Amino acid sequence: MSNSLRGQRWIPLTLLLIAWYCLITPVVTVKHENFKTCDQSGFCKRNRAYADLVASKGTSWTAPYQLDPQTIHVKNGQLKGTILKTIEGSDQRVSLPLTVSFLESGSVRVTVDEEKRQNGDIELRHGSQARKERYNEAAKWALVGGLNPDKSITSNTEGDTTTITYGSDKKYQVKIRHSPFAVDFVRDDQVHIKLNGQGLMNMEHWRQKVEKEVKEGEDETPDAAVDESTWWEETFGGNTDSKPKGPESVGLDITFPGYEHVFGIPEHAGPLSLKETRGGAGNYDQPYRMYNSDVFEYEMDSPMTLYGSIPFMQAHRKDSTVGVFWLNAAETWVDIVKAKISSNPLSLGIGAKVDTNTHWFSESGLLDIFVFLGPKSKDVLHSYAELTGYSQLPQQFAIGYHQCRWNYVTDEDVKDVDRKFDKHNIPYDVIWLDIEYTDGKKYFTWDSHNFADPIGMQKQLGSHDRKLVVIIDPHIKNEGGYSVVDELKAKSLAVNNKENNIYEGWCWPGSSHWIDCFNPAAITWWQSLFSYSSFKGTSPNTFVWNDMNEPSVFNGPETTMPKDNLHHGNWEHRDVHNINGMTFHNATYTALLHRDPKSPRRPFVLTRSFFAGSQRLGAVWTGDNLASWDHLVASVPMTLASNIAGFPFVGADVGGFFGNPSNELLTRWYQAGTFNPFFRGHAHIDSRRREPYLAGEPYTGIITQAIRLRYQLLPAWYTAFHEAATDGSPIIRPQYYVHPSDEKGFAIDDQFYIGSTGLLAKPVTTEGAQSVDIYISDSEKYYDYFDYTIYSGAGKTFTITAPLEKIPLLMQSGHIIPRRDRPRRSSGLMRWDPFTLVVVVGKDGKAEGALYIDDGESFDYQDGAYIHRKFTFSSSAPGGSSVLVSEDIATAGKKTKEYLKTMAKVRIEKVVIVGAPSSWESKSEVLVMEDGAREGKKVGLSWKRGEAGKAAWAVEDIEKLPNAIPPVYKFPAHPSESPLRRFIALPRDTLLVLGPRRVPPVKCPASNTYTAISIMTSVGFAMLESEDYIEATKKLRPDIILGLGDVVYGKEPGLKRIEKMGDRTLVWLKEMIAGLDFESKDGEQTKRPALFAPIVPIEREQQSYYLEELGKELYKNVQGIVLYDAASVDAIPPGMEDYPRLALTEPDSPHKILHEISLGVDIFTLPFIGLATDAGIALDFSFPISCSYSESELPELLPLGIDMWSSIHATSLAPLTSSCECYTCSFHHRAYLQHLLSAKEMLGWVLLQIHNHHVIDMFFDGVRKSIRSNSFEDDRGKFERIYDVELPVKTGQGPRVRGYQYKSEGPGEKKKNPLAYRTLDDSKERLAEAILPSPSTDGKQLEDRGFGKQVD
């Protein structure tokens, strides 16, 4: 058999195997060999061994740390003293300075240092240039406030104990035992936290290395308690840590007496209630580790370290929460052991309490602890947030849905994904680019082949107010000629190795250097790289993703940087490792903050690595998870743990990063992800494409509904984010936080509440599940969010049906939930949408809630540019009425008034009452009183009886008055004809065009938005919503519908406005195309109107992206062009030259009509016809010019019309114009028409309008004949030489102005029209209308009233 035949036979088999393999989701797991266990970490092993030694000695153990009472000094809210450490087998003592700070917040800080290191009185090995002190700058990065001392403390020393009383109302005490040193924290006469109660305090002091001679046959380390094998160097994975300062770890036991549950210290993939770590059934045998690491494919239910660390722990028991914050940036481990304590040895455990004993140890740094005594979890979190900062209030887009994968391969790929989201009506806000967008993995560059037009790509995204996020990591490619790395080296801004030379490691680009963001100069330089002139191809809607910032170093120990590397200030990397990622995050945040100095916007920066304080800077995700059900399960407690640790803006990659989820898993993950504060779908480069629209039905539809639920509830989410940003509250809240008295719920971590809304979510996380069990703690009723099924019973578990399409979501009664019900394509397009309030009536007949709104992007809210309302409802108000009250709880600032003007049209349009009283059944309307109104208005009410097991509910349509539907919408018409045509009795042969009313074009007080255009109506200015315009088109069915154009009237648009004009017009046009799919009715086909796409009056280049989209894709759904400037015909996209062109230029003479025809305009709007009629002018011109005219014989130009007010017509029986065959000229004469005008009879103007329309009809008939005969330009020239260029001047009075009043420009101006109706006995008005002269009337008045002419 030949090799060729052999190959042909193997090909199909090979392809079959490949196809079969692709159907398998690979099983992967973490590489444990790359990461240390406690036994492989020298200081962890030593501290655990120390704890074992103490335990083995029992009551005979005496801790070697004593507070010298002679050194105790209390002043200005601080206690200072010196702890003396006794070295076993020696009379030498080590001095450890102690500072206990009492803060105004009620928190206490305990700090212990080492005097010798503090004074630099040590020697470093290997000639190291590292700092000699213990690292004392963690607070510089982690803390931002809350350090004001409580100077009102009182102290008392009795015997061996010093007691400090502190806090408001002096409700807290600290009892400091001198020997052995220990600290008890007391609240309500009970000890809640004990430091060193077990005697495990261990500060490894500096000591000189003594080279010992080991005799043959002797064990080098016979005593595990003094094992020196890892004191001076440590090797792991082929890397050796030189440890120039020797052993320097710090350790301490922290006990929570009577507390069985402890929470926090993220990030770990385990349960919310932390497990014991010393072995035993169901427990871990390793401590919880905090050493920020790139642990991809991490395992479940493990204390193993992950990407970030927050050493903040809460302990909770019934009605009490306390907490501790271990401020140390070095590698840290925490052991947890729980012990039952019984006061009666014969009780057999009944009535015993549980103490949770924790043991903390870090490799280096200070012993620096903050203690919080609560008593509520909210109090603990608030105090912690005062110290480390509140969570960032992000831009609103950041809490929408994010679409990401590694990688979208080209700019066209990005644009295609964007279009497909629109095609499938799936909302999203952000699309992300991983590293492949760069030129050879060099940050701040673009791959010029695959991303040739990044600005065009971002313009398409911007057309729907969407954003782009690009990845920027801390490793900088080491390649010659790359300006970024050249500057990094030249400015000495990189991390150095232990020899203090630039450190080189390996990451995605290959050989790399790492920016040292501990260096202020590096932050300044980093900031410069993000300017638009430096990072070309970015725009204001470009934001940043910081990955790999633990830092991840592929060839480093534990996939990170060597611990003996040196940072700015010569601090070793071991000292700062867990803060390193936050410093990079901070540098990027600062860079984006300064990118637009004149109008700074809130930065959005996602980080993977984090520490306490990172919450101030942006969002975080849970790292590289797997597409598996157990990772979906783990995502819930992981995000909850971050929330209660003060970093609430967190989420897990929806679908799982590695692998290929089944459609069921993907769908359930989207349903769970919609409740993540950070909501992003992400996937690995080797995984299949899994954008929601690719899942197929029914999955795509179900996923779409889950994402839309997120957008519907964005007002509630944004309000929760604001709450987190002002008082430190979690955005999603575990059971124990909301119900602190219910012990059955303390360990529940698979359900949670959203903010203060009362929404209780329980994601489905089990394959094939058709139901879930939800536990309810309290006696309030709970209602299914979607169908109002009632669940009630404190301490009970309810099984809720949850087929694939169902999201288990309950509403706790007593709450008011704000939402927006109009589906949009992005959050930015919802900015001007009205709100709906869902009032869930509590068992006491009351409910309350809040709504926070600002512009969603700037910092203007800090100057009062926001709305914050508190809503309260009571169904038992005085008089038996039900009352919903809105209270302003905002604090006014210098920008409040301006902002409120922009939001004047944003209203609450609907109130849904869940659990509505049965007494409302007979009501059809209710009275609504708005802010500042003297009278209320009646609005419609619809009451619905609840079906079996479901609640009654009612809907109040505040924005819709009863019977407020426009009459034309109800006018009967056949599906094939227009109701509008019938309503205005327009002949069938007349073209019916529908457009936004803006004639005359006047400046409106409100600006256009991406969802609405500001227009002038008969009753004033209003915002015409794009969706309302589409709905009107469907109902009125004109022949032509004009697309909305973003046009500025009354002023020249600025550069920023010009950028938006094409983008908004594109958004509106796409929405019209999508919305104009008419459904047939009663078997009759409904005619679709011709859609004319606008071209806005700016340069072609300034709307190039819009024109490109119009000519490439949208032209298929467009039947004509709308021009706001006749010269814009040059901007018509190629391929659309033959489309009919309608101009909204409003030419005011036939000369201008002819000029625009010569430019290529086909259809006109001609207000001058009506203006001429109002002025009493009969048009009198024709085209082409009749041969009876001789240009040389005309003494002057012919007028374009005849003034019918002239007295020469008073007795004329001639028609209005000679040879005219219109109705008016055929049956009436000039004298009759003038009589009608003088008598102010409307018939006079009607007859004139008939004539003038006939003249225009004949004019255009002549134009068409002239064009067909190829003589148009000659005929036009002759017309212009014979006729005057302007209409005759108006001399008479027009018809009476009738109808409504409206303003012509904006606030503060007088009404343009007088009142249409007046009282009959208004003597002032009757006098003003009198025309009879009196003996005192002077000549000027007589002339003004038409009774004569004054002569000189």
Side-chain angles (χ1 to χ4, degrees), residues 385-403:
E386 276 190 322
L387 292 169
T388 63
Y390 299 112
S391 178
Q392 180 205 26
L393 180 62
Q395 290 199 43
Q396 183 168 273
F397 80 79
I399 63 174
Y401 173 63
H402 300 245
Q403 180 60 42

Side-chain angles (χ1 to χ4, degrees), residues 561-763:
M561 196 171 280
K563 289 182 175 180
D564 49 9
N565 272 7
L566 296 177
H567 288 269
H568 175 71
N570 284 347
W571 293 111
E572 280 195 295
H573 184 73
R574 86 180 70 254
D575 299 320
V576 301
H577 176 84
N578 284 346
I579 286 181
N580 182 81
M582 183 172 73
T583 66
F584 183 62
H585 193 194
N586 171 71
T588 305
Y589 176 92
T590 304
L592 292 189
L593 188 63
H594 289 85
R595 187 174 60 174
D596 296 291
K598 292 184 179 179
S599 55
R601 296 183 300 161
R602 297 171 232 168
F604 172 76
V605 187
L606 179 76
T607 184
R608 188 171 72 176
S609 178
F610 57 90
F611 189 71
S614 291
Q615 68 272 9
R616 306 186 302 263
L617 307 171
V620 66
W621 89 106
T622 60
D624 298 341
N625 56 1
L626 295 177
S628 65
W629 287 95
D630 56 349
H631 274 258
L632 171 57
V633 171
S635 69
V636 180
M638 288 180 75
T639 52
L640 283 173
S642 185
N643 268 262
I644 62 162
F647 199 163
F649 197 3
V650 60
D653 282 342
V654 170
F657 179 62
F658 289 104
N660 297 301
S662 66
N663 281 334
E664 182 192 1
L665 174 58
L666 184 65
T667 302
R668 289 301 194 188
W669 212 320
Y670 269 101
Q671 291 175 337
T674 195
F675 301 114
N676 282 348
F678 175 60
F679 183 20
R680 180 181 76 158
H682 189 29
H684 188 269
I685 195 170
D686 292 331
S687 67
R688 292 192 296 267
R689 295 291 282 259
R690 58 167 103 126
E691 289 73 26
Y693 51 78
L694 295 176
E697 295 301 337
Y699 307 103
T700 292
I702 298 171
I703 292 171
T704 300
Q705 290 306 311
I707 297 175
R708 284 186 175 177
L709 176 62
R710 172 61 164 236
Y711 280 81
Q712 182 187 56
L713 288 171
L714 276 185
W717 281 103
Y718 198 60
T719 301
F721 269 85
H722 172 259
E723 189 176 352
T726 52
D727 69 7
S729 297
I731 293 172
I732 57 173
R733 304 174 179 180
Q735 201 76 18
Y736 86 87
Y737 182 95
V738 179
H739 302 288
S741 300
D742 181 21
E743 294 177 298
K744 289 174 63 178
F746 291 170
I748 293 177
D749 60 8
D750 58 357
Q751 64 183 54
F752 50 86
Y753 291 82
I754 301 169
S756 299
T757 63
L759 288 169
L760 174 59
K762 173 71 179 279

Side-chain angles (χ1 to χ4, degrees), residues 293-338:
S293 302
D294 183 1
V295 190
F296 58 92
E297 304 168 357
Y298 53 86
E299 68 179 354
M300 299 293 93
D301 196 15
S302 168
M304 187 177 184
T305 189
L306 292 179
Y307 306 93
S309 302
I310 301 178
F312 171 46
M313 178 184 285
Q314 294 182 49
H316 183 77
R317 69 186 187 201
K318 185 175 182 179
D319 294 324
S320 180
T321 305
V322 295
V324 294
F325 171 37
W326 178 274
L327 181 52
N328 192 298
E331 178 186 355
T332 300
W333 301 74
V334 182
D335 261 324
I336 300 173
V337 175
K338 298 178 182 180

Side-chain angles (χ1 to χ4, degrees), residues 1291-1326:
T1291 62
Q1293 183 180 358
R1296 293 191 183 197
V1297 180
R1298 298 181 182 274
Y1300 297 99
Q1301 296 176 295
Y1302 58 86
K1303 298 175 183 178
S1304 60
E1305 285 294 332
E1309 295 203 2
K1310 293 181 178 180
K1311 304 288 186 180
K1312 183 173 179 180
N1313 295 351
L1315 289 169
Y1317 304 100
R1318 293 185 285 273
T1319 56
L1320 294 177
D1321 61 348
D1322 191 335
S1323 58
K1324 182 179 177 181
E1325 293 294 339
R1326 287 190 285 111

Side-chain angles (χ1 to χ4, degrees), residues 1008 1013 1044-1048 1057 1060-1062 1064-1065 1068 1096-1097:
N1008 296 341
I1013 185 172
L1044 300 177
D1046 186 32
V1047 180
V1048 179
R1057 180 62 194 276
K1060 295 179 180 178
M1061 291 171 69
R1064 285 176 177 162
T1065 303
W1068 294 333
V1096 292

